[in-house]
Amino acid sequence: MTGFGIAVFSPCCGCGQNADPTHHSAPVVEGETHKWTFSADEVDNVPSSWEVAQTGKGEGSVWKVVADESAPSMSGLALAQTAESPRSMFNLCVVKDVRFRDVQLTVAFKAVAGSVDQGGGLVWRYVDANHYYVCRFNPLEDNLRIYKVIVGKRTQLASVDVELAANQWHTLTVTTQGDLIVCDVDSTQLSVRDAALTDAGRIGLWTKADAQTHFDTLTATGTN
């Protein structure tokens, strides 16, 4: 396997504990800006510039463009994970052809359904379905968390409690530069340093298990 490096160390914010959400300021990431929106001819399909994947075995990870008149972009459309996937599955939808090392990502999301899990988040430095970073918000647990996935195993890097309502739109931003990761959901911030994945990788969207979630307008600014 190429395209990533692994370093073994103790994460600065601990595992399974609440991190100081203001410990690090988000760095300024410069570079070209890319923006992904969704069009009417993509309804019921995966957009051509995206690719569906999954971490874990089983049937699930079904993504498609759906009608949603509440979408913040006013397009009336969203990209949605629609399956009730198995409990252990991570549902992924990643952009095919763009790679970043240092990047700022922003997306709007709305948790629609899910009894095991809800919500979702952003993926970056994605090498394949078993190697990537993810930051996600879960309204069932009332927390924002950062994880790394290495050889298909998810390890928590940082967590902060935050209460946000399901079935409403929220904004998630991830900024990463070098080993620093700073995440923000509706002005609640979480940060950590980690050097497990150091090379440029793809970006995308993530939910877990039966979390059915709508996403609107992914924006990325960065370099590889």
Side-chain angles (χ1 to χ4, degrees):
M1 177 79 60
T2 61
F4 68 95
I6 297 178
V8 179
F9 67 105
S10 297
C12 68
C13 288
C15 182
Q17 300 178 10
N18 284 348
D20 178 356
T22 61
H23 185 67
H24 300 288
S25 297
V28 176
V29 177
E30 299 179 345
E32 186 177 358
T33 297
H34 301 256
K35 186 176 182 179
W36 292 268
T37 57
F38 313 108
S39 61
D41 60 358
E42 296 170 330
V43 170
D44 292 328
N45 294 295
V46 180
S48 60
S49 59
W50 295 70
E51 179 179 83
V52 174
Q54 65 188 55
T55 306
K57 297 180 180 180
E59 297 293 325
S61 195
V62 177
W63 296 78
K64 58 186 176 181
V65 176
V66 299
D68 188 333
E69 293 302 320
S70 69
S73 65
M74 307 295 287
S75 67
L77 299 167
L79 179 57
Q81 199 296 115
T82 61
E84 295 184 9
S85 303
R87 179 181 292 268
S88 60
M89 183 178 291
F90 303 151
N91 310 297
L92 293 156
C93 196
V94 295
V95 179
K96 289 181 178 178
D97 298 325
V98 179
R99 286 170 170 78
F100 299 97
R101 181 178 185 272
D102 297 334
V103 65
Q104 183 175 79
L105 304 171
T106 300
V107 74
F109 70 96
K110 179 176 71 172
V112 174
S115 58
V116 175
D117 267 87
Q118 286 187 17
L122 288 162
V123 165
W124 67 99
R125 294 189 186 170
Y126 175 98
V127 179
D128 56 33
N130 292 309
H131 301 86
Y132 54 87
Y133 286 110
V134 57
C135 179
R136 67 93 178 112
F137 170 75
N138 185 339
L140 292 180
E141 299 179 3
D142 291 327
N143 56 43
L144 177 69
R145 288 182 174 172
I146 302 169
Y147 297 94
K148 60 184 173 185
V149 177
I150 302 293
V151 197
K153 179 182 178 180
R154 186 178 67 163
T155 300
Q156 182 179 309
L157 299 175
S159 178
V160 65
D161 293 339
V162 54
E163 293 186 20
L164 299 173
N167 286 300
Q168 294 183 17
W169 287 96
H170 306 285
T171 300
L172 177 64
T173 299
V174 171
T175 306
T176 184
Q177 188 174 70
D179 68 351
L180 176 61
I181 301 166
V182 181
C183 302
D184 180 286
V185 61
D186 289 4
S187 298
T188 294
Q189 192 178 88
L190 177 65
S191 65
V192 71
R193 290 190 179 274
D194 188 85
L197 298 166
T198 59
D199 293 343
R202 293 159 68 184
I203 59 172
L205 307 173
W206 182 99
T207 81
K208 181 178 183 291
D210 63 342
Q212 297 160 62
T213 306
H214 291 190
F215 296 89
D216 184 28
T217 310
L218 172 64
T219 302
T221 300
T223 62
N224 57 17

mmCIF file of all heavy atoms in Angstrom, residues 36-62:
data_model
loop_
_atom_site.group_PDB
_atom_site.id
_atom_site.type_symbol
_atom_site.label_atom_id
_atom_site.label_comp_id
_atom_site.label_asym_id
_atom_site.label_seq_id
_atom_site.Cartn_x
_atom_site.Cartn_y
_atom_site.Cartn_z
ATOM 1 N N TRP A 36 -18.880 21.533 -5.144
ATOM 2 C CA TRP A 36 -19.735 20.505 -5.718
ATOM 3 C C TRP A 36 -21.179 20.740 -5.301
ATOM 4 O O TRP A 36 -21.498 20.768 -4.105
ATOM 5 C CB TRP A 36 -19.284 19.128 -5.258
ATOM 6 C CG TRP A 36 -17.947 18.728 -5.810
ATOM 7 C CD1 TRP A 36 -17.685 18.027 -6.957
ATOM 8 C CD2 TRP A 36 -16.667 19.009 -5.229
ATOM 9 N NE1 TRP A 36 -16.343 17.863 -7.127
ATOM 10 C CE2 TRP A 36 -15.682 18.457 -6.084
ATOM 11 C CE3 TRP A 36 -16.251 19.695 -4.076
ATOM 12 C CZ2 TRP A 36 -14.330 18.553 -5.825
ATOM 13 C CZ3 TRP A 36 -14.899 19.804 -3.812
ATOM 14 C CH2 TRP A 36 -13.950 19.232 -4.676
ATOM 15 N N THR A 37 -22.038 20.931 -6.289
ATOM 16 C CA THR A 37 -23.475 21.043 -6.077
ATOM 17 C C THR A 37 -24.150 19.957 -6.917
ATOM 18 O O THR A 37 -23.478 19.184 -7.613
ATOM 19 C CB THR A 37 -23.988 22.435 -6.467
ATOM 20 O OG1 THR A 37 -23.640 22.696 -7.838
ATOM 21 C CG2 THR A 37 -23.375 23.512 -5.583
ATOM 22 N N PHE A 38 -25.472 19.891 -6.862
ATOM 23 C CA PHE A 38 -26.183 18.782 -7.488
ATOM 24 C C PHE A 38 -27.280 19.320 -8.396
ATOM 25 O O PHE A 38 -27.876 20.358 -8.127
ATOM 26 C CB PHE A 38 -26.732 17.857 -6.403
ATOM 27 C CG PHE A 38 -25.695 17.537 -5.363
ATOM 28 C CD1 PHE A 38 -25.763 18.074 -4.082
ATOM 29 C CD2 PHE A 38 -24.598 16.770 -5.692
ATOM 30 C CE1 PHE A 38 -24.784 17.812 -3.148
ATOM 31 C CE2 PHE A 38 -23.597 16.502 -4.768
ATOM 32 C CZ PHE A 38 -23.695 17.022 -3.484
ATOM 33 N N SER A 39 -27.517 18.611 -9.504
ATOM 34 C CA SER A 39 -28.437 19.095 -10.527
ATOM 35 C C SER A 39 -29.604 18.134 -10.714
ATOM 36 O O SER A 39 -29.548 16.964 -10.321
ATOM 37 C CB SER A 39 -27.700 19.278 -11.855
ATOM 38 O OG SER A 39 -27.158 18.044 -12.300
ATOM 39 N N ALA A 40 -30.667 18.632 -11.354
ATOM 40 C CA ALA A 40 -31.898 17.862 -11.501
ATOM 41 C C ALA A 40 -31.698 16.584 -12.306
ATOM 42 O O ALA A 40 -32.360 15.572 -12.052
ATOM 43 C CB ALA A 40 -32.970 18.733 -12.159
ATOM 44 N N ASP A 41 -30.755 16.596 -13.259
ATOM 45 C CA ASP A 41 -30.547 15.384 -14.064
ATOM 46 C C ASP A 41 -29.795 14.302 -13.304
ATOM 47 O O ASP A 41 -29.607 13.189 -13.814
ATOM 48 C CB ASP A 41 -29.836 15.716 -15.373
ATOM 49 C CG ASP A 41 -28.463 16.343 -15.180
ATOM 50 O OD1 ASP A 41 -28.065 16.560 -14.017
ATOM 51 O OD2 ASP A 41 -27.800 16.620 -16.187
ATOM 52 N N GLU A 42 -29.362 14.603 -12.069
ATOM 53 C CA GLU A 42 -28.678 13.607 -11.244
ATOM 54 C C GLU A 42 -29.610 12.942 -10.227
ATOM 55 O O GLU A 42 -29.182 12.030 -9.509
ATOM 56 C CB GLU A 42 -27.520 14.261 -10.488
ATOM 57 C CG GLU A 42 -26.423 14.803 -11.383
ATOM 58 C CD GLU A 42 -25.405 15.644 -10.635
ATOM 59 O OE1 GLU A 42 -25.783 16.278 -9.612
ATOM 60 O OE2 GLU A 42 -24.240 15.679 -11.062
ATOM 61 N N VAL A 43 -30.873 13.366 -10.147
ATOM 62 C CA VAL A 43 -31.797 12.833 -9.148
ATOM 63 C C VAL A 43 -31.910 11.312 -9.293
ATOM 64 O O VAL A 43 -32.002 10.768 -10.408
ATOM 65 C CB VAL A 43 -33.179 13.495 -9.271
ATOM 66 C CG1 VAL A 43 -34.211 12.783 -8.400
ATOM 67 C CG2 VAL A 43 -33.084 14.960 -8.869
ATOM 68 N N ASP A 44 -31.858 10.620 -8.157
ATOM 69 C CA ASP A 44 -31.907 9.162 -8.051
ATOM 70 C C ASP A 44 -30.625 8.479 -8.530
ATOM 71 O O ASP A 44 -30.593 7.250 -8.654
ATOM 72 C CB ASP A 44 -33.112 8.574 -8.803
ATOM 73 C CG ASP A 44 -34.430 8.941 -8.155
ATOM 74 O OD1 ASP A 44 -34.464 9.083 -6.916
ATOM 75 O OD2 ASP A 44 -35.425 9.091 -8.883
ATOM 76 N N ASN A 45 -29.567 9.269 -8.776
ATOM 77 C CA ASN A 45 -28.294 8.709 -9.204
ATOM 78 C C ASN A 45 -27.153 9.277 -8.373
ATOM 79 O O ASN A 45 -27.295 10.310 -7.723
ATOM 80 C CB ASN A 45 -28.043 9.020 -10.680
ATOM 81 C CG ASN A 45 -29.035 8.335 -11.589
ATOM 82 O OD1 ASN A 45 -29.071 7.112 -11.673
ATOM 83 N ND2 ASN A 45 -29.850 9.115 -12.274
ATOM 84 N N VAL A 46 -26.002 8.600 -8.420
ATOM 85 C CA VAL A 46 -24.775 9.138 -7.845
ATOM 86 C C VAL A 46 -24.186 10.120 -8.858
ATOM 87 O O VAL A 46 -24.074 9.773 -10.040
ATOM 88 C CB VAL A 46 -23.766 8.013 -7.563
ATOM 89 C CG1 VAL A 46 -22.488 8.584 -6.950
ATOM 90 C CG2 VAL A 46 -24.366 6.958 -6.660
ATOM 91 N N PRO A 47 -23.822 11.339 -8.461
ATOM 92 C CA PRO A 47 -23.203 12.273 -9.414
ATOM 93 C C PRO A 47 -21.975 11.651 -10.073
ATOM 94 O O PRO A 47 -21.232 10.891 -9.447
ATOM 95 C CB PRO A 47 -22.833 13.474 -8.535
ATOM 96 C CG PRO A 47 -23.779 13.396 -7.377
ATOM 97 C CD PRO A 47 -23.995 11.934 -7.130
ATOM 98 N N SER A 48 -21.750 11.978 -11.333
ATOM 99 C CA SER A 48 -20.692 11.320 -12.107
ATOM 100 C C SER A 48 -19.296 11.574 -11.547
ATOM 101 O O SER A 48 -18.385 10.768 -11.769
ATOM 102 C CB SER A 48 -20.747 11.788 -13.563
ATOM 103 O OG SER A 48 -20.570 13.189 -13.648
ATOM 104 N N SER A 49 -19.116 12.666 -10.824
ATOM 105 C CA SER A 49 -17.792 12.982 -10.265
ATOM 106 C C SER A 49 -17.581 12.372 -8.879
ATOM 107 O O SER A 49 -16.548 12.629 -8.254
ATOM 108 C CB SER A 49 -17.595 14.494 -10.207
ATOM 109 O OG SER A 49 -18.598 15.102 -9.398
ATOM 110 N N TRP A 50 -18.537 11.578 -8.417
ATOM 111 C CA TRP A 50 -18.452 10.949 -7.100
ATOM 112 C C TRP A 50 -18.420 9.427 -7.236
ATOM 113 O O TRP A 50 -18.874 8.877 -8.227
ATOM 114 C CB TRP A 50 -19.652 11.344 -6.237
ATOM 115 C CG TRP A 50 -19.723 12.798 -5.882
ATOM 116 C CD1 TRP A 50 -20.005 13.844 -6.726
ATOM 117 C CD2 TRP A 50 -19.520 13.373 -4.596
ATOM 118 N NE1 TRP A 50 -19.997 15.029 -6.038
ATOM 119 C CE2 TRP A 50 -19.700 14.773 -4.732
ATOM 120 C CE3 TRP A 50 -19.213 12.848 -3.340
ATOM 121 C CZ2 TRP A 50 -19.579 15.651 -3.654
ATOM 122 C CZ3 TRP A 50 -19.093 13.704 -2.259
ATOM 123 C CH2 TRP A 50 -19.277 15.102 -2.417
ATOM 124 N N GLU A 51 -17.941 8.772 -6.172
ATOM 125 C CA GLU A 51 -17.842 7.317 -6.147
ATOM 126 C C GLU A 51 -18.285 6.804 -4.785
ATOM 127 O O GLU A 51 -17.859 7.318 -3.746
ATOM 128 C CB GLU A 51 -16.393 6.911 -6.420
ATOM 129 C CG GLU A 51 -16.138 5.419 -6.402
ATOM 130 C CD GLU A 51 -14.682 5.120 -6.701
ATOM 131 O OE1 GLU A 51 -13.863 5.187 -5.756
ATOM 132 O OE2 GLU A 51 -14.371 4.862 -7.873
ATOM 133 N N VAL A 52 -19.121 5.793 -4.786
ATOM 134 C CA VAL A 52 -19.617 5.188 -3.546
ATOM 135 C C VAL A 52 -18.660 4.096 -3.077
ATOM 136 O O VAL A 52 -18.141 3.318 -3.882
ATOM 137 C CB VAL A 52 -21.028 4.614 -3.754
ATOM 138 C CG1 VAL A 52 -21.499 3.849 -2.510
ATOM 139 C CG2 VAL A 52 -22.011 5.730 -4.082
ATOM 140 N N ALA A 53 -18.429 4.049 -1.771
ATOM 141 C CA ALA A 53 -17.593 3.003 -1.173
ATOM 142 C C ALA A 53 -18.149 2.669 0.201
ATOM 143 O O ALA A 53 -19.119 3.289 0.672
ATOM 144 C CB ALA A 53 -16.135 3.476 -1.077
ATOM 145 N N GLN A 54 -17.530 1.705 0.865
ATOM 146 C CA GLN A 54 -17.942 1.347 2.221
ATOM 147 C C GLN A 54 -16.775 0.729 2.962
ATOM 148 O O GLN A 54 -15.925 0.067 2.374
ATOM 149 C CB GLN A 54 -19.118 0.374 2.206
ATOM 150 C CG GLN A 54 -18.783 -0.987 1.606
ATOM 151 C CD GLN A 54 -20.014 -1.860 1.433
ATOM 152 O OE1 GLN A 54 -20.990 -1.455 0.794
ATOM 153 N NE2 GLN A 54 -19.962 -3.067 2.000
ATOM 154 N N THR A 55 -16.729 0.992 4.266
ATOM 155 C CA THR A 55 -15.811 0.301 5.159
ATOM 156 C C THR A 55 -16.633 -0.741 5.896
ATOM 157 O O THR A 55 -17.563 -0.401 6.633
ATOM 158 C CB THR A 55 -15.176 1.278 6.166
ATOM 159 O OG1 THR A 55 -14.579 2.370 5.464
ATOM 160 C CG2 THR A 55 -14.120 0.582 7.005
ATOM 161 N N GLY A 56 -16.300 -1.993 5.718
ATOM 162 C CA GLY A 56 -17.077 -3.067 6.319
ATOM 163 C C GLY A 56 -17.852 -3.851 5.279
ATOM 164 O O GLY A 56 -18.062 -3.390 4.155
ATOM 165 N N LYS A 57 -18.285 -5.052 5.658
ATOM 166 C CA LYS A 57 -18.956 -5.956 4.743
ATOM 167 C C LYS A 57 -20.465 -5.882 4.905
ATOM 168 O O LYS A 57 -20.979 -5.518 5.959
ATOM 169 C CB LYS A 57 -18.473 -7.384 4.983
ATOM 170 C CG LYS A 57 -16.990 -7.583 4.699
ATOM 171 C CD LYS A 57 -16.569 -9.011 4.954
ATOM 172 C CE LYS A 57 -15.084 -9.210 4.664
ATOM 173 N NZ LYS A 57 -14.644 -10.616 4.907
ATOM 174 N N GLY A 58 -21.173 -6.229 3.850
ATOM 175 C CA GLY A 58 -22.620 -6.259 3.882
ATOM 176 C C GLY A 58 -23.230 -5.391 2.808
ATOM 177 O O GLY A 58 -22.534 -4.724 2.043
ATOM 178 N N GLU A 59 -24.553 -5.395 2.761
ATOM 179 C CA GLU A 59 -25.293 -4.590 1.791
ATOM 180 C C GLU A 59 -25.645 -3.245 2.409
ATOM 181 O O GLU A 59 -26.154 -3.174 3.530
ATOM 182 C CB GLU A 59 -26.574 -5.315 1.367
ATOM 183 C CG GLU A 59 -26.328 -6.636 0.647
ATOM 184 C CD GLU A 59 -25.668 -6.441 -0.696
ATOM 185 O OE1 GLU A 59 -25.970 -5.431 -1.357
ATOM 186 O OE2 GLU A 59 -24.840 -7.295 -1.079
ATOM 187 N N GLY A 60 -25.345 -2.173 1.676
ATOM 188 C CA GLY A 60 -25.672 -0.841 2.174
ATOM 189 C C GLY A 60 -24.907 0.218 1.429
ATOM 190 O O GLY A 60 -24.519 0.027 0.278
ATOM 191 N N SER A 61 -24.711 1.370 2.059
ATOM 192 C CA SER A 61 -24.022 2.516 1.465
ATOM 193 C C SER A 61 -24.648 2.876 0.127
ATOM 194 O O SER A 61 -24.014 2.787 -0.926
ATOM 195 C CB SER A 61 -22.528 2.253 1.320
ATOM 196 O OG SER A 61 -21.825 3.467 1.078
ATOM 197 N N VAL A 62 -25.904 3.276 0.163
ATOM 198 C CA VAL A 62 -26.640 3.659 -1.036
ATOM 199 C C VAL A 62 -26.781 5.183 -1.052
ATOM 200 O O VAL A 62 -27.469 5.758 -0.208
ATOM 201 C CB VAL A 62 -28.023 2.989 -1.082
ATOM 202 C CG1 VAL A 62 -28.797 3.464 -2.308
ATOM 203 C CG2 VAL A 62 -27.883 1.477 -1.074
#
